[in-house]
Amino acid sequence: MLFTWSLLATIENICLSTLLVISGDNDRLFVLFISIGIMFATAMMEPWAFLAAFGITLALVIFLTLISFIPCLDVTGWGIWLFAIGFVVMMFGSISMILYIFLRIRLLILVYAGLSVLVACLYLVFITQLIIGGKRVELDPDEYILGCILLFTQIISMLMNMMVLFRS
């Protein structure tokens, strides 16, 4: 079951990477599929575990959004570094899932989920500053839908990885 949760989180991260090529008509369909996936994932959890994961995710989102408004902090130029960190964590997740299939090492899945939460926190600050604007890199006013969907998928990714942590 832990492997299934980790696989869902990895698929979520892959979908987030391909989001940049999705055009306007497919946005609602993408959000619908992610929402259905979250619905099925939360149906298999204990209520206390889901509420704990949801509460911590909510607190992190509020805290990181407040951090994004700090004027002297500009993480919009870190895009390539965030990509590299995300790629390394994704490769670690792939290796840990393969090792979990053959050796049943649960600790690697938990470490992967924790690292994914940290990467999602960095991406959340990055995307929020892109939406807010006034920094080195910012989204155009016409790209507000893309910014909202990027923010949505990061929050969902953080929630899914928190659920992996609280499930075990």
Side-chain angles (χ1 to χ4, degrees):
M1 189 60 76
L2 188 62
F3 175 73
T4 306
W5 284 95
S6 184
L7 186 63
L8 276 173
T10 302
I11 290 171
E12 182 87 28
N13 289 333
I14 291 171
C15 288
L16 178 65
S17 300
T18 60
L19 179 64
L20 295 174
V21 295
I22 293 178
S23 64
D25 290 338
N26 298 329
D27 292 344
R28 283 175 241 127
L29 188 64
F30 180 76
V31 170
L32 176 71
F33 282 133
I34 288 194
S35 301
I36 289 172
I38 289 293
M39 179 183 69
F40 284 119
T42 56
M44 298 186 311
M45 285 191 73
E46 295 288 327
W48 68 267
F50 173 71
L51 289 175
F54 180 77
I56 291 176
T57 303
L58 181 66
L60 274 173
V61 167
I62 291 170
F63 177 71
L64 292 171
T65 303
L66 292 176
I67 284 179
S68 299
F69 283 102
I70 296 175
C72 62
L73 180 68
D74 183 14
V75 298
T76 58
W78 297 1
I80 189 70
W81 298 109
L82 290 175
F83 172 76
I85 292 169
F87 185 77
V88 168
V89 170
M90 184 185 72
M91 294 307 294
F92 176 75
S94 301
I95 292 169
S96 63
M97 280 191 272
I98 290 170
L99 288 176
Y100 181 76
I101 290 172
F102 294 114
L103 302 177
R104 298 285 182 208
I105 303 174
R106 294 177 64 128
L107 181 66
L108 289 177
I109 299 294
L110 296 176
V111 169
Y112 168 64
L115 288 174
S116 295
V117 168
L118 292 176
V119 170
C121 288
L122 291 173
Y123 272 116
L124 190 71
V125 172
F126 177 75
I127 293 167
T128 305
Q129 286 190 349
L130 284 178
I131 293 171
I132 293 170
K135 306 289 184 182
R136 189 164 68 171
V137 180
E138 60 185 30
L139 291 178
D140 291 334
D142 297 334
E143 297 174 333
Y144 67 94
I145 294 176
L146 176 67
C148 290
I149 291 179
L150 286 171
L151 200 61
F152 170 76
T153 53
Q154 276 308 311
I155 293 170
I156 294 299
S157 175
M158 192 182 304
L159 177 65
M160 290 289 287
N161 287 307
M162 282 289 186
M163 289 166 52
V164 169
L165 289 173
F166 278 98
R167 179 127 176 107
S168 54

